[in-house]
Each structure stands twice: as structure tokens, then as C-alpha cells.
Amino acid sequence: MASSFTRLISKRNTAVLLAGLGAGTAGFLLSENSSLAAEAKKKLYPPSSDYPDLRKHNNCMASALTPAIYAKLRDKVTPNNWTLDQCIQTGVDNPGHPFIKTVGCVAGDEESYEVFAELFDLIIKDRHNGYDPRVMKHPTDLDASKITHGMFDENYVLSSRVRTGRSIRGLSLPPACSRAERREVERVVVTALAGLKGDLAGHYYSLGDMTEKEQQQLIDDHFLFDKPVSPLLTCAFMARDWPDARGIWHNNDKTFLIWVNEEDHTRVISMEKGGNMKRVFERFCNGLKQVEHLIQERGWEFMWNERLGYVLTCPSNLGTGLRAGVHVRLPKLSKDPRFSKILDNLRLQKRGTGGVDTAATGDTFDISNLDRLGKSEVELVQLLVDGVNYLIECEKRLEKGQEIKIPSPIVQFRK
Amino acid sequence: MPFGNTHNKLKLKYTAEQEYPDLSQHNNHMAKVLTSEMYANLRDKETSSGFTLDDVIQTGVDNPGHPFIMTVGCVAGDEETYEVFKDLLDPVIEDRHGGYKPTDKHKTDLNPDNLQGGDDLDPNYVLSSRVRTGRSIRGFCLPPHCSRGERRTIENLSIETLASLEGDLKGKYYALKNMTEEEQQQLIDDHFLFDKPVSPLLLASGMARDWPDGRGIWHNDNKTFLVWVNEEDHLRVISMQKGGNMREVFTRFCTGLTKIEELFKERGHEFMWNEHLGYILTCPSNLGTGLRAGVHVKLPNVSKHEKFGEILKRLRLQKRGTGGVDTAAVGGVFDISNADRLGFSEVELVQMVVDGVNLLVEMEKRLEAGESIDDMMPEQK
């Protein structure tokens, strides 16, 4: 379209173009922007004096960040002036999580993944089963028609859900964004969502402006998100200025939901009661494509490149950023000692029904895909579908007193 | 944030109005003062270490109000902050410190001989006496902004300096990250241990970064003189003991501080101080003397008197629970301390506490005896 072409040649979008090519934007050295005093201080404090004490730490950043890498990257900045220290602050402040090996590092902008590639690439490899961003490509596939056997037995599966995130290219990410940038993200997204029609037509609720009644309704629907309390997030500066420019959009049917400016620019969620994962994923893909189209009409796009797929704040969400999951009752299987191994081999993860840091209550589990990067959306959802069907099979067999088998592990990348 | 202006120049491509924080729900000193015009005028400024207006105010934006007290809502990242952002901080200081003007001069007096009395607060009522202040080492960034390298240098300097103290001030340093379980338990039992801040007021300003790196506690062998390193300020200096001999506590406080200052000077460092603001600390509420002199005192009767609040106000005193700043009193025992920090000298403030507590204890005795205290109401100091 002529209008988007003229926009493409505007100055603002040059950076957007560069970033879109996945080109390594050179990290500007601090000296280009800082005053004399900051320069002098840099010499007074060599990188070794600033290197964090990571001896008690157990996260991906701590495993990867050697003094040599720190020394090389400490004085670099992204074009938005974001530094290595800011990327790693959350990992320095949070030595370890009781249940999971956390990432310990966030991006402040799309260029963080380039400028600090020496660190991020190692973290990505560690977190994503050996995926090497220097040589591998990430496949994107949002064609939901390819999913087979995506209707679960509703005697076992209580609800189905798919979530991902999307970032608006050209605007800093939640750890780094200024208030104006965050408000711009909100404006761009909310304007686009207002263009959705049919079963996707909906309404935006700004966190700061919602009425008591609206708030209660969102709580009852399990839609409301609140100011992060996890130190993993607060130490990464994501909760600044709360609740300014944060909000929740959902369609009238309450099956498609978008969080604005929580841990990412947007978190996109498709969900339903029951076991129709295929339909949930269809709505997910359809909704995402429509939103993308609507922002493109106004000259914006999502952060994406061939190496990393969709770019999000936390390296753990790169690629698809996709977590497809179900709440499923598995009273017998969950007590079987082989349960964990079965999940492992199926590349699935269990959580409590309260979400990431909760334990399961009773026999109902949140089962979802473990992987995010290196496999497409369709592949991951199919893995989840096949996996959950397998778990239900096992449950049924155990009910009848029959034998179950641990499945062979699903193939990963070469390490 | 350390090293650089963190995004500040890029924010300038947005208008001031687009960046101006939403303070409509806020009730703190910063929010009262920071108009959109002021924000527009100050937002392109930064100190030479790169501390910006948004850095100053972040804690006040993130924390709209405190249930018990009117919070300050801004912090300094270095000594220069108070200069570069004086348009914001001067009115905040004036509001917080009882009308203290930008042209006023602050008197420093750490001569304990100038204190009258104070050695005999009634120990039947006064359980313990304590004086605290803070000190910042000139040339270094303050806790919201310092890098790990700076913080460690401050720690090393402090360890070296404190190691030279002698006599009844001789003591030992316990680094937070190295202490043994036993040492930790002892420090807890002595009520000396400080932990990672949990208050969002402190967390939002960046003071808890890299915890516990570079943090520690020093105390003398007698456990009456204590220094916190790199908590909310570079140094927090505390003199305390059981009982009511505030004079002795204050004398040790002054002697210790003066000695520490001397030892720092021998190593080529001085404390941040100027004629107008006195001792420079992270929070504008602690400027001047940074001094809080207080007692834990039993006032079950006076505290229930309808004029208790008024009495305290006139005496320029403040009550807290015995757990510290955000706690309520338990069992009629209150933490009573000076309300002021700036515009009065150290001696003057401790004198107010001594005189005020003596009066409160007298009132308590009267009320115990079933008598009235109406004739004892103090004048506004």
C-alpha cells in the first residue's frame, strides 16, 4: 500500500527495517553518549571490579557469564542505551528458584539479543535444548488446519488454552521502556484490537481506569492480572509506573484475551472450557493474524527474525513464545512413579492449576509443552495434543488395571 | 542505574506530556511538587554520573502513598542530585523539613558537652536509648545508583577504616554474604542484623540491587556502637544501650563519628556535607543531621490520653512501634524520637528528646497516680 511504503522510508522505520533483517546492529560504545565523568569512572572501575558474585547462583545467566564475556560486553550499549548490567540485574538479584532453573536475564529491546549475543546465545542454547542461534533457523507456522486429533476426551480434560506474546518493533521492552513508550504500545495495540470483528469483537479495560464492578468481573473470569510480585520480574524493572498503560482486552465471548504491558508488550491467550484444543488453536492463529494485519495497516510490525522467531522480553519465550496446555484430571497416572519420566519423554511439563509457581491440588494438573524455540507453533501444539492423548490413554489403561509404557523420548536438537 | 544516562536522551523524542507520570492517585512529597511544567524543565538534565529526573522520582511514581506517613517519593543518586534537581528537591525539602528555605544554613554540632542532662532518664520507664545517623562518602554514587564496583570500594574503605578503631570502639566486620549461621543468629539475637529491604519504597529506587554484595555490619566488642554498610545509605551509624543514659549513648555516638571521619580523611576521603543541607544522604528526609535519637519507653497511660498526639507534636517528637518505622506499638511501649532532621543541630535534637521524654515520663507517673496532666502541657517548640 502506498501509505505504508512512504512510512517505510521515514527515519523512524529505518531502524525497524534493519532490525527486521535480523542484521546485527552494532553496539555503540558507551563513550559516544556519556560525559567525561562517566568516562573517567569507567577507567577507574575496570570490568573485573564490577563483575557480579555468582558463586551461589544457579540460573542460565550465571552459568554463561564468564568474567571475560562480562569484560567484553560491559561497556556496550544498544541503540536505546540499554546495558549488560541492566539485562542481568534480575539474575544477579535472584540466585535461584526452588523449582526451576530460571533464565536470569532479560532483553531491554530487540537489539539486546544482537549487541549482547555472546551472552544471550549461550543462554538460549542452555535453555532451548542446544538451539544455536548462530547457525539454526526457527520455523514459524500458524496454520491451525494442520492439527490432527485435537479434540480431547472431556471426561479428563477440563479446559484448553494457548498463549504467546508479541512485541511491537521499534519500541523498548517492559524492562527498559519509558512511560511514553509504554503508552505508545498501549495505543498501538488497543487501536488495532478495536478493529477486530465477529467472534473476536471485544473491549479494552485499562488497569488504572477500570471500575470496581469491571475489576470483580475480570477476577471472576480469571482474566485479571495484577502488579507482579515475583522478584524475578520486579528486579527486571518491569513493574515500574504500575498501573500506567497496563490493561486487559478480551472478546465478548471471553475466549480470546490480550494482556497489555505486563511482562511483554502483549500476551495473547486463547482459551475455552473443555477439550477442543483444535478450535482454541484456530482462534489463536486467526486472532494473531488479524491483529498483525491491523497493526501493519498503521505502519507497525511485530519483532521477529529468522534466528530467534518472535522476540520477547525473556529469552525463555523466544521462537514461538507458545505455551499450549490443558487442565486435565489424571488421578491414577499422577500417582504412578513413571509419571515424570513419561512427561519428560513427551516434552511436556506439569504445573499446578494456579500457574507457573504453584503445585497441583487434587488430581488436576496443568500440562503444557516444554519447548518454545526451534519447533513451529503447529509442531508444538501437535506435540501437546499427542502427548495429552497419550496421558489420557495411560489413565484409562490404569483404570482398567492394564499396563502402560513409557514412550520413547521425542527427538531434540544435536547438543 | 550505573554508567550512563539510561535511555534519557531517547525519551526526549517524546513530548514532556507523553512522559509525565500519572500522579492523580498519589500522595507523597514528590507528587505534590512535580507539576508537568517542572517535569518538562528538568527532564533533559542529568548529573555527571548519569542520574536523571526519572531516576529521582521512580520510587514516588511506583508508590502512591503510605498508610501511616507522608513519604518523600524521591531519592538522590549522588551528591550532585541535590544541585541539578534543586527545582524539585528544594520545595520537597521545604515541605518535609518544616519550611526550611533554599537559603537557610544548617548547623552541625557534634559536641556532646553541649548537651544538658540526659544521663538519668528513668530506667523504670525508659528501656533503651539509641541514636542513629547516616554518612555518605564523597565522590561515590549513592545506593540507588552505584555500580557493584563502587559499592565494593565503599565496603572496603569502610572495613579498613573501622578496623582502626580502638579502645571501647574496637570491633569486627561481618559481611552479609560471608557470615556463618552462628554469626547470623548472634546478630539477630542482638537485634543488629539488617536484611534485604522488602519495603517497596526502597526496592523501587534500586537500592536492593546485587544483594547482599558489598553489604555488612560492623559492631564494637561491647555491642554499643554499630555501623551498617551499604544498606539505605553508604553508612548508617548507631549508638545504643539498654536503659536511660542517653547522654552516654550520644557521647559515644559523637566520639565514634568524629573518629571515623578523621580516619576516612587520613585515607583521602571525606563525608558529603555542605552548609545548606548538612550531611547528604540518599533520602531527602535524612538531610541535615540524618539524626534520629530515640528511646523505647513505657507510656501505657499517656499514650491513651486524648492529647497524646498534640503533646508529641509540640515537643517535636514522633512515635513508632518498637519494631521500627512501619510498626505499631505493642504493650504500651513506644519508640519516641525526634521528628526533625534538618535545621536543628545534633545537640539540639537530642536535647529535645531528652527534655521531651523526661516530661512524658513525668506525665505517665501523674496519670498512674490518677492525677491530671492538664497543667503540664508543653509549649510548641
Side-chain angles (χ1 to χ4, degrees), chain B residues 26-315:
Chain B
H26 287 58
N27 181 39
N28 55 51
H29 287 294
M30 179 277 292
K32 280 173 74 177
V33 168
L34 187 71
T35 59
S36 51
E37 290 77 32
M38 187 186 283
Y39 185 81
N41 289 334
L42 293 178
R43 70 180 190 127
D44 60 346
K45 300 194 185 336
E46 56 187 75
T47 67
S48 40
S49 75
F51 203 63
T52 66
L53 178 66
D54 279 333
D55 291 329
V56 174
I57 66 173
Q58 191 68 57
T59 179
V61 175
D62 289 348
N63 296 290
H66 187 278
F68 303 154
I69 47 181
M70 173 87 155
T71 49
V72 175
C74 46
V75 292
D78 52 22
E79 190 166 5
E80 231 185 303
T81 303
Y82 288 102
E83 256 315 298
V84 174
F85 300 107
K86 63 193 329 308
D87 289 349
L88 167 66
L89 293 173
D90 279 350
V92 166
I93 289 167
E94 193 167 339
D95 198 8
R96 177 63 173 210
H97 293 284
Y100 193 78
K101 302 246 170 310
T103 46
D104 285 343
K105 302 246 183 294
H106 170 82
K107 197 170 99 184
T108 294
D109 182 358
L110 282 161
N111 183 352
D113 294 336
N114 291 337
L115 182 71
Q116 314 209 352
D119 54 348
D120 58 356
L121 301 180
D122 190 336
N124 293 312
Y125 295 84
V126 176
L127 308 175
S128 59
S129 308
R130 180 184 187 265
V131 183
R132 69 90 157 149
T133 188
R135 290 291 185 264
S136 309
I137 306 175
R138 180 161 276 164
F140 293 93
C141 291
L142 297 170
H145 192 45
C146 65
S147 67
R148 282 180 293 272
E150 280 185 291
R151 199 186 297 111
R152 289 162 179 170
T153 305
I154 292 162
E155 186 192 28
N156 288 333
L157 266 173
S158 304
I159 292 174
E160 225 184 88
T161 306
L162 295 167
S164 310
L165 288 171
E166 291 165 339
D168 75 314
L169 289 178
K170 181 163 160 320
K172 191 171 151 185
Y173 181 75
Y174 303 86
L176 241 58
K177 68 178 177 180
N178 290 339
M179 63 175 69
T180 65
E181 285 254 9
E182 219 185 71
E183 287 168 337
Q184 187 175 288
Q185 194 51 52
Q186 188 58 58
L187 287 166
I188 291 174
D189 295 339
D190 292 326
H191 306 291
F192 283 174
L193 188 67
F194 67 88
D195 207 358
K196 182 170 181 177
V198 293
S199 165
L201 302 175
L202 298 183
L203 296 175
S205 71
M207 289 188 220
R209 288 171 301 126
D210 315 313
W211 203 275
D213 198 315
R215 275 85 168 190
I217 295 165
W218 178 96
H219 69 78
N220 65 349
D221 298 333
N222 295 340
K223 297 190 184 181
T224 53
F225 194 68
L226 167 67
V227 178
W228 290 351
V229 179
N230 285 320
E231 192 235 13
E232 187 185 332
D233 280 293
H234 288 169
L235 304 170
R236 281 290 178 96
V237 179
I238 302 151
S239 172
M240 60 202 263
Q241 65 195 51
K242 293 242 179 277
N245 195 342
M246 179 61 91
R247 187 182 190 85
E248 196 172 72
V249 169
F250 185 55
T251 304
R252 183 182 314 110
F253 176 82
C254 296
T255 312
L257 265 177
T258 309
K259 190 70 193 162
I260 292 173
E261 182 160 19
E262 229 176 77
L263 290 165
F264 267 104
K265 285 203 171 125
E266 279 174 13
R267 288 163 178 75
H269 294 278
E270 41 181 19
F271 291 147
M272 293 183 194
W273 180 92
N274 68 53
E275 263 194 331
H276 166 51
L277 295 177
Y279 289 102
I280 303 292
L281 294 176
T282 303
C283 182
S285 69
N286 283 319
L287 290 166
T289 60
L291 185 138
R292 192 172 94 85
V295 297
H296 283 187
V297 57
K298 290 194 257 192
L299 298 171
N301 291 295
V302 175
S303 58
K304 291 196 193 66
H305 194 282
E306 56 172 6
K307 292 227 165 64
F308 186 45
E310 179 63 22
I311 294 168
L312 289 175
K313 184 165 159 292
R314 293 190 188 181
L315 294 174

Side-chain angles (χ1 to χ4, degrees), chain A residues 30 35 37-38 41-42 45 48-53 55-56 70 74 79-81 83 85-86 88-89 92-93 171-172 176 178-181 183-184 227 237 239-242 244, chain B residues 1-11 14 17-22 39 48-49 54 57-58 61-63 140-141 147-150 152-153 177-178 196 208-211 213:
Chain A
L30 200 59
S35 63
K41 188 183 285 185
K42 211 178 15 149
Y45 292 98
S48 56
S49 70
D50 271 332
Y51 181 71
D53 183 349
R55 287 171 298 171
K56 299 207 171 97
Y70 184 76
R74 184 193 70 163
N80 294 310
N81 256 19
T83 65
D85 279 330
Q86 288 164 320
I88 67 173
Q89 191 67 60
V92 175
D93 289 347
L171 294 168
S172 299
S178 69
R179 278 181 294 275
E181 283 185 291
R183 291 164 180 172
E184 184 73 345
K227 181 169 178 176
F237 324 115
R240 287 170 303 127
D241 314 313
W242 203 274
D244 197 313
Chain B
M1 292 284 108
F3 293 136
N5 64 6
T6 318
H7 216 105
N8 203 47
K9 300 235 181 323
L10 287 120
K11 286 184 214 165
Y14 291 97
E17 200 198 318
Q18 286 171 315
E19 284 290 357
Y20 182 66
D22 180 352
Y39 185 81
S48 40
S49 75
D54 279 333
I57 66 173
Q58 191 68 57
V61 175
D62 289 348
N63 296 290
F140 293 93
C141 291
S147 67
R148 282 180 293 272
E150 280 185 291
R152 289 162 179 170
T153 305
K177 68 178 177 180
N178 290 339
K196 182 170 181 177
R209 288 171 301 126
D210 315 313
W211 203 275
D213 198 315

Side-chain angles (χ1 to χ4, degrees), chain A residues 1-14 16-17 295-300:
Chain A
M1 282 168 57
S3 57
S4 35
F5 182 68
T6 2
R7 291 241 184 84
L8 275 178
I9 54 177
S10 79
K11 228 168 99 172
R12 178 186 70 183
N13 276 20
T14 319
V16 165
L17 255 180
I295 65 169
Q296 278 170 343
E297 278 181 350
R298 291 169 176 80
W300 297 91

Side-chain angles (χ1 to χ4, degrees), chain A residues 5-243:
Chain A
F5 182 68
T6 2
R7 291 241 184 84
L8 275 178
I9 54 177
S10 79
K11 228 168 99 172
R12 178 186 70 183
N13 276 20
T14 319
V16 165
L17 255 180
L18 277 175
L21 295 171
T25 25
F28 299 107
L29 285 179
L30 200 59
S31 57
E32 292 189 27
N33 291 317
S34 64
S35 63
L36 280 171
E39 275 286 343
K41 188 183 285 185
K42 211 178 15 149
K43 296 189 172 80
L44 191 58
Y45 292 98
S48 56
S49 70
D50 271 332
Y51 181 71
D53 183 349
L54 301 172
R55 287 171 298 171
K56 299 207 171 97
H57 288 59
N58 179 39
N59 56 51
C60 297
M61 179 281 291
S63 301
L65 186 69
T66 61
I69 294 178
Y70 184 76
K72 213 163 156 200
L73 299 179
R74 184 193 70 163
D75 297 331
K76 293 203 153 108
V77 285
T78 69
N80 294 310
N81 256 19
W82 188 249
T83 65
L84 178 71
D85 279 330
Q86 288 164 320
C87 286
I88 67 173
Q89 191 67 60
T90 179
V92 175
D93 289 347
N94 296 289
H97 186 280
F99 303 155
I100 47 181
K101 183 169 183 181
T102 47
V103 176
C105 193
V106 291
D109 51 19
E110 191 166 6
E111 294 88 347
S112 298
Y113 288 105
E114 307 298 320
V115 174
F116 307 115
E118 256 180 87
L119 174 64
F120 275 100
D121 285 353
L122 290 173
I123 291 174
I124 289 166
K125 230 170 149 184
D126 185 7
R127 178 62 175 215
H128 295 285
N129 315 302
Y131 182 87
D132 187 347
R134 287 168 303 177
V135 298
M136 293 162 96
K137 292 212 197 319
H138 169 80
T140 293
D141 185 356
L142 286 160
D143 181 357
S145 67
K146 295 178 180 159
I147 299 297
T148 61
H149 306 99
M151 180 68 219
F152 298 123
D153 185 334
E154 293 182 336
N155 290 310
Y156 298 89
V157 173
L158 308 176
S159 61
S160 307
R161 180 184 188 269
V162 182
R163 70 87 161 148
T164 189
R166 291 288 186 264
S167 310
I168 309 295
R169 176 160 281 160
L171 294 168
S172 299
L173 296 169
C177 65
S178 69
R179 278 181 294 275
E181 283 185 291
R182 199 186 295 111
R183 291 164 180 172
E184 184 73 345
V185 169
E186 186 188 36
R187 190 193 63 79
V188 169
V189 173
V190 171
T191 307
L193 294 172
L196 290 173
K197 301 194 196 349
D199 72 315
L200 289 179
H203 186 87
Y204 180 68
Y205 304 86
S206 142
L207 237 60
D209 294 341
M210 63 175 68
T211 65
E212 286 251 12
K213 219 171 97 155
E214 287 169 337
Q215 187 175 293
Q216 193 52 52
Q217 187 59 57
L218 287 166
I219 292 174
D220 295 339
D221 291 328
H222 305 290
F223 283 173
L224 189 67
F225 68 89
D226 209 357
K227 181 169 178 176
V229 292
S230 164
L232 301 176
L233 299 183
T234 54
C235 292
F237 324 115
M238 293 192 218
R240 287 170 303 127
D241 314 313
W242 203 274

